Amino acid sequence: MKPTNAPLVEQRADPFAYKHTDGYYYFTGSVPTYDRIELRRSKTLAGLQDAETFDVWFKHETGPMSRHVWAPEIHYLDGKWYVYFAASEEEDIWKLRPYVLECTGQDPLNDEWIELGQMQAADGDEKSFIDFSLDATIFENQGKRYYCWAEKTGGQFAASNLYLAEMESPIKLKTVQFMLTTPDYDWERIGFWVNEGPAVIKNAGKIYISFSASATGACYCMGLMEADEDADLLDRNSWKKSRYPVLETNYEKGIYGPGHNCFTVAEDDVTPLCIYHARDYENAVGDPTVVPKSDTRPLEEIIADPLYDPNRHARVMEVKFDADGKPLFEFY
């Protein structure tokens, strides 16, 4: 396994790695141009860096799904492959909504993918997915499947909260949204008030949801929610939130803005791993070559925009646990 401070896959923010029953790791993430869904696979984690890439879907030219294709995740549900991702519109670049793709076959790299449209709220839920929504993940517990996502009510500059709901199907929710967490603490409010990028790991009878906080520069960091696996996960009293970040910038190691992680297992199928992104330097610099031609902002604004700095690399660390079974995130 590569050390924590070495990239696993370069220039792939919001990484997602899933080890399937065929023994392969399937990997995706946000490409720097934010214009497609890319997949790759490898028998080993290290092999993901140089694995062949497959562009399985491209953004539309206009309308829904035509800008800011962000944070894809690949899941295998009920015998089918799905990709969950967020995208906005060329005509309204912050109109982020969650969308779903389904693979028509069992080979996600080569078989055709079809669009299932926007993720659907539960019947009677008039709040979910009506505003800036992104970073969805999926997990199962006690025979139920859950959908967890970030949403801002009030546009791009509002607070980004995390919401949770039970799923009825791979494309629709069964219950109305439950607000899991809102940015309460100072470390969640640097630059922007943000909770986003949820990921789920289970251990010793508990469910842990990691999440990312603050703006996307060096202040980006991770917090942690926890609940008993037997609890009602849609009850506010079931969850406890970390008072301080569990992973943040480490100047000594040269790892800046760690966050938006996923969890997987090592090649031994036992050792839990955290796959996250971070930069090698503190001050992000936007790269004009990855910005869409329709973005007519002055050059100095693009350079100052950390979203267009392509060097958020996917990295890996082993997850260890404390005496109470809580996950520890430590650079080594």
Side-chain angles (χ1 to χ4, degrees):
M1 186 188 306
K2 293 184 178 181
T4 311
N5 59 350
L8 176 69
V9 180
E10 295 180 350
Q11 294 195 340
R12 290 299 178 268
D14 316 322
F16 190 81
Y18 162 64
K19 191 174 186 184
H20 191 44
T21 54
D22 61 5
Y24 280 96
Y25 290 96
Y26 290 81
F27 179 91
T28 188
S30 299
V31 302
T33 46
Y34 303 143
D35 63 353
R36 70 192 69 191
I37 303 293
E38 174 200 89
L39 300 177
R40 64 181 78 187
R41 71 181 168 195
S42 171
K43 282 285 189 178
T44 65
L45 279 170
L48 289 171
Q49 173 69 60
D50 299 317
E52 182 180 1
T53 58
F54 294 78
D55 294 327
V56 300
W57 180 86
F58 290 90
K59 73 177 185 67
H60 296 193
E61 290 301 314
T62 61
M65 298 184 284
S66 61
R67 185 75 177 266
H68 285 159
V69 178
W70 284 351
E73 292 194 2
I74 182 169
H75 292 268
Y76 192 74
L77 307 173
D78 305 328
K80 293 184 178 181
W81 290 99
Y82 295 90
V83 165
Y84 294 84
F85 67 101
S88 66
E89 302 183 8
E90 192 61 47
E91 300 80 9
D92 188 351
I93 66 172
W94 300 117
K95 192 177 180 181
L96 270 292
R97 298 294 185 271
Y99 297 96
V100 187
L101 305 177
E102 180 184 303
C103 186
T104 58
Q106 290 298 305
D107 183 352
L109 304 186
N110 295 290
D111 290 335
E112 181 185 3
W113 287 83
I114 58 174
E115 298 173 4
L116 299 185
Q118 185 176 314
M119 188 67 186
Q120 300 169 24
D123 295 339
D125 181 357
E126 299 179 352
K127 301 293 185 182
S128 297
F129 317 134
I130 63 171
D131 215 326
F132 187 107
S133 306
L134 70 168
D135 290 359
T137 196
I138 292 166
F139 68 97
E140 296 185 5
N141 186 61
Q142 307 287 45
K144 297 179 179 180
R145 183 175 293 152
Y146 294 88
Y147 186 88
C148 187
W149 77 100
E151 184 164 353
K152 297 182 179 184
T153 301
Q156 179 201 1
F157 298 104
S160 174
N161 307 316
L162 281 188
Y163 295 92
L164 186 63
E166 188 181 341
M167 297 176 71
E168 177 179 292
S169 73
I171 189 63
K172 185 177 180 180
L173 301 184
K174 181 178 181 179
T175 62
V176 299
Q177 61 167 244
F178 158 69
M179 191 174 74
L180 179 67
T181 171
T182 191
D184 300 299
Y185 301 122
D186 54 354
W187 52 272
E188 302 170 287
R189 299 179 173 190
I190 303 172
F192 294 100
W193 292 27
V194 173
N195 287 169
E196 64 181 15
V200 177
I201 187 170
K202 301 177 183 180
N203 188 57
K206 288 185 178 290
I207 295 177
Y208 298 92
I209 298 182
S210 63
F211 63 93
S212 298
S214 289
T216 56
C219 59
Y220 205 55
C221 59
M222 280 168 44
L224 195 67
M225 304 290 296
E226 64 177 271
D228 290 332
E229 63 180 11
D230 294 327
D232 179 358
L233 300 188
L234 303 182
D235 184 337
R236 165 74 61 188
N237 295 321
S238 297
W239 292 95
K240 179 182 178 182
K241 182 176 179 176
S242 60
R243 175 61 184 88
Y244 300 100
V246 295
L247 188 67
E248 57 188 329
T249 288
N250 186 303
Y251 289 89
E252 181 181 349
K253 299 286 187 180
I255 299 175
Y256 299 89
H260 202 128
N261 73 298
C262 72
F263 295 102
T264 188
V265 292
E267 285 87 348
D268 62 7
D269 290 323
V270 175
T271 306
L273 302 176
C274 171
I275 313 294
Y276 67 100
H277 76 228
R279 293 189 178 91
D280 295 326
Y281 47 86
E282 182 173 5
N283 297 314
V285 179
D287 181 352
T289 65
V290 301
V291 177
K293 293 180 180 179
S294 58
D295 192 332
T296 58
R297 289 179 296 168
L299 180 61
E300 58 269 21
E301 288 188 21
I302 292 175
I303 291 175
D305 189 343
L307 282 175
Y308 287 103
D309 182 316
N311 294 315
R312 290 183 290 177
H313 305 316
R315 304 165 190 269
V316 60
M317 69 164 62
E318 181 180 338
V319 178
K320 299 180 180 180
F321 301 93
D322 68 13
D324 296 322
K326 182 179 296 186
L328 299 173
F329 303 88
E330 298 176 342
F331 298 120
Y332 54 90

